[in-house]
Amino acid sequence: MTALLNLGRMVMLLWVAFALVFLFRPSLVNLQPNPTSAIIQAVAAFCLGHLIERALGALRRREAETAQTGHI
């Protein structure tokens, strides 16, 4: 589960980077300038990345509690 969440974090980071390139240099990705779409993509990717971070934090806390109590 941790590996999947880390993979999701990496994908969200790439999505944010793409959205920023799309916003500031759309010619690099061979697309027409569309700042509204780029902003929406950047905000959506950032929000999903934040949710993944929270889920990963909760998972790590649960694993730490399990390790502390000694139960598997």
Side-chain angles (χ1 to χ4, degrees), residues 25-26 33 39 50-51 54 60 69:
R25 296 290 306 263
I39 291 170
H50 177 71
L51 290 175
R54 291 187 57 157
R60 287 180 178 161
T69 58

Side-chain angles (χ1 to χ4, degrees), residues 21 24-31:
V21 168
F24 294 113
R25 296 290 306 263
S27 61
L28 290 176
V29 288
N30 294 326
L31 294 172

Side-chain angles (χ1 to χ4, degrees), residues 1-44:
M1 186 58 136
T2 303
L4 286 175
L5 287 172
N6 283 323
L7 180 67
R9 286 172 60 196
M10 186 174 61
V11 170
M12 290 303 114
L13 180 67
L14 292 174
W15 190 13
V16 168
F18 171 78
L20 291 176
V21 168
F22 185 38
L23 180 62
F24 294 113
R25 296 290 306 263
S27 61
L28 290 176
V29 288
N30 294 326
L31 294 172
Q32 295 294 327
N34 189 352
T36 304
S37 175
I39 291 170
I40 289 171
Q41 284 188 34
V43 169

Side-chain angles (χ1 to χ4, degrees), residues 38-65:
I39 291 170
I40 289 171
Q41 284 188 34
V43 169
F46 182 78
C47 290
L48 287 174
H50 177 71
L51 290 175
I52 290 172
E53 278 291 323
R54 291 187 57 157
L56 188 59
L59 181 66
R60 287 180 178 161
R61 276 192 304 277
R62 185 178 306 151
E63 288 175 352
E65 289 173 1

